[in-house]
Short mmCIF file of all heavy atoms in Angstrom, two decimals:
data_model
loop_
_atom_site.label_atom_id
_atom_site.label_comp_id
_atom_site.label_asym_id
_atom_site.label_seq_id
_atom_site.Cartn_x
_atom_site.Cartn_y
_atom_site.Cartn_z
N LEU A 135 7.40 8.34 18.53
CA LEU A 135 7.79 7.21 17.67
C LEU A 135 6.68 6.92 16.65
O LEU A 135 6.95 6.68 15.47
CB LEU A 135 8.04 5.98 18.55
CG LEU A 135 8.58 4.78 17.81
CD1 LEU A 135 10.08 4.93 17.60
CD2 LEU A 135 8.31 3.49 18.57
N THR A 136 5.44 6.95 17.10
CA THR A 136 4.31 6.65 16.23
C THR A 136 4.27 7.61 15.04
O THR A 136 4.15 7.20 13.89
CB THR A 136 2.99 6.77 17.01
OG1 THR A 136 3.05 5.87 18.10
CG2 THR A 136 1.79 6.46 16.14
N GLU A 137 4.38 8.91 15.34
CA GLU A 137 4.27 9.88 14.25
C GLU A 137 5.43 9.77 13.26
O GLU A 137 5.22 9.82 12.04
CB GLU A 137 4.18 11.29 14.81
CG GLU A 137 2.85 11.52 15.51
CD GLU A 137 2.57 12.99 15.75
OE1 GLU A 137 3.17 13.85 15.08
OE2 GLU A 137 1.75 13.29 16.63
N ILE A 138 6.64 9.63 13.79
CA ILE A 138 7.79 9.54 12.87
C ILE A 138 7.67 8.26 12.02
O ILE A 138 7.93 8.27 10.81
CB ILE A 138 9.12 9.58 13.64
CG1 ILE A 138 9.24 10.90 14.41
CG2 ILE A 138 10.31 9.45 12.69
CD1 ILE A 138 10.51 11.05 15.23
N ALA A 139 7.22 7.18 12.66
CA ALA A 139 7.08 5.91 11.92
C ALA A 139 6.02 6.02 10.82
O ALA A 139 6.22 5.53 9.71
CB ALA A 139 6.73 4.77 12.89
N ILE A 140 4.91 6.69 11.11
CA ILE A 140 3.87 6.88 10.09
C ILE A 140 4.46 7.65 8.90
O ILE A 140 4.27 7.29 7.74
CB ILE A 140 2.64 7.64 10.66
CG1 ILE A 140 1.89 6.77 11.66
CG2 ILE A 140 1.70 8.08 9.53
CD1 ILE A 140 0.69 7.46 12.31
N GLY A 141 5.21 8.70 9.22
CA GLY A 141 5.81 9.50 8.15
C GLY A 141 6.77 8.69 7.32
O GLY A 141 6.73 8.70 6.09
N ARG A 142 7.65 7.95 8.00
CA ARG A 142 8.67 7.23 7.25
C ARG A 142 8.06 6.07 6.47
O ARG A 142 8.44 5.82 5.33
CB ARG A 142 9.76 6.72 8.20
CG ARG A 142 10.94 6.21 7.41
CD ARG A 142 12.13 5.94 8.26
NE ARG A 142 12.03 4.65 8.92
CZ ARG A 142 13.05 4.08 9.56
NH1 ARG A 142 14.22 4.71 9.63
NH2 ARG A 142 12.92 2.92 10.14
N ARG A 143 7.11 5.37 7.07
CA ARG A 143 6.54 4.22 6.37
C ARG A 143 5.77 4.64 5.12
O ARG A 143 5.84 3.99 4.09
CB ARG A 143 5.64 3.44 7.33
CG ARG A 143 5.01 2.26 6.68
CD ARG A 143 4.64 1.16 7.64
NE ARG A 143 4.07 0.07 6.89
CZ ARG A 143 3.78 -1.10 7.38
NH1 ARG A 143 4.02 -1.35 8.65
NH2 ARG A 143 3.25 -2.03 6.62
N THR A 144 4.99 5.73 5.23
CA THR A 144 4.18 6.14 4.09
C THR A 144 4.97 6.99 3.10
O THR A 144 4.64 7.03 1.92
CB THR A 144 2.96 6.96 4.54
OG1 THR A 144 3.43 8.13 5.22
CG2 THR A 144 2.05 6.18 5.46
N GLY A 145 5.98 7.68 3.59
CA GLY A 145 6.77 8.56 2.72
C GLY A 145 5.96 9.70 2.14
O GLY A 145 6.26 10.22 1.07
N ARG A 146 4.90 10.09 2.84
CA ARG A 146 4.03 11.15 2.30
C ARG A 146 3.97 12.33 3.26
O ARG A 146 4.33 12.23 4.42
CB ARG A 146 2.59 10.60 2.17
CG ARG A 146 2.44 9.32 1.41
CD ARG A 146 2.42 9.54 -0.08
NE ARG A 146 1.33 10.39 -0.49
CZ ARG A 146 0.16 9.94 -0.93
NH1 ARG A 146 -0.07 8.65 -1.00
NH2 ARG A 146 -0.78 10.78 -1.31
N SER A 147 3.44 13.45 2.75
CA SER A 147 3.18 14.58 3.64
C SER A 147 1.95 14.22 4.46
O SER A 147 1.27 13.22 4.18
CB SER A 147 2.91 15.84 2.81
OG SER A 147 1.56 15.85 2.40
N VAL A 148 1.61 15.03 5.46
CA VAL A 148 0.52 14.63 6.35
C VAL A 148 -0.79 14.31 5.64
O VAL A 148 -1.50 13.38 6.02
CB VAL A 148 0.21 15.69 7.44
CG1 VAL A 148 1.13 15.53 8.60
CG2 VAL A 148 0.22 17.09 6.90
N LEU A 149 -1.11 15.08 4.59
CA LEU A 149 -2.40 14.86 3.93
C LEU A 149 -2.52 13.44 3.38
O LEU A 149 -3.54 12.79 3.54
CB LEU A 149 -2.58 15.86 2.78
CG LEU A 149 -3.02 17.26 3.17
CD1 LEU A 149 -3.16 18.12 1.93
CD2 LEU A 149 -4.34 17.22 3.92
N GLY A 150 -1.44 12.98 2.75
CA GLY A 150 -1.48 11.63 2.17
C GLY A 150 -1.18 10.56 3.21
O GLY A 150 -1.62 9.42 3.08
N ALA A 151 -0.40 10.91 4.23
CA ALA A 151 0.10 9.88 5.15
C ALA A 151 -1.01 9.14 5.89
O ALA A 151 -1.09 7.91 5.86
CB ALA A 151 1.08 10.51 6.15
N TYR A 152 -1.90 9.89 6.54
CA TYR A 152 -2.94 9.22 7.33
C TYR A 152 -3.85 8.39 6.43
O TYR A 152 -4.31 7.30 6.79
CB TYR A 152 -3.76 10.25 8.12
CG TYR A 152 -3.01 10.78 9.32
CD1 TYR A 152 -2.23 11.93 9.24
CD2 TYR A 152 -3.06 10.10 10.54
CE1 TYR A 152 -1.53 12.40 10.33
CE2 TYR A 152 -2.36 10.56 11.65
CZ TYR A 152 -1.60 11.72 11.54
OH TYR A 152 -0.91 12.18 12.62
N GLN A 153 -4.09 8.92 5.22
CA GLN A 153 -4.95 8.21 4.28
C GLN A 153 -4.28 6.92 3.81
O GLN A 153 -4.95 5.93 3.53
CB GLN A 153 -5.17 9.13 3.09
CG GLN A 153 -6.41 8.81 2.33
CD GLN A 153 -6.61 9.86 1.24
OE1 GLN A 153 -5.74 10.70 0.98
NE2 GLN A 153 -7.75 9.81 0.60
N THR A 154 -2.96 6.94 3.71
CA THR A 154 -2.25 5.74 3.31
C THR A 154 -2.31 4.69 4.41
O THR A 154 -2.40 3.49 4.15
CB THR A 154 -0.77 6.08 2.97
OG1 THR A 154 -0.77 7.18 2.07
CG2 THR A 154 -0.06 4.91 2.35
#
Side-chain angles (χ1 to χ4, degrees):
L135 186 81
T136 301
E137 290 195 20
I138 299 179
I140 291 178
R142 191 169 81 169
R143 180 154 181 171
T144 60
R146 307 279 300 264
S147 83
V148 276
L149 280 180
Y152 284 92
Q153 203 175 8
T154 310

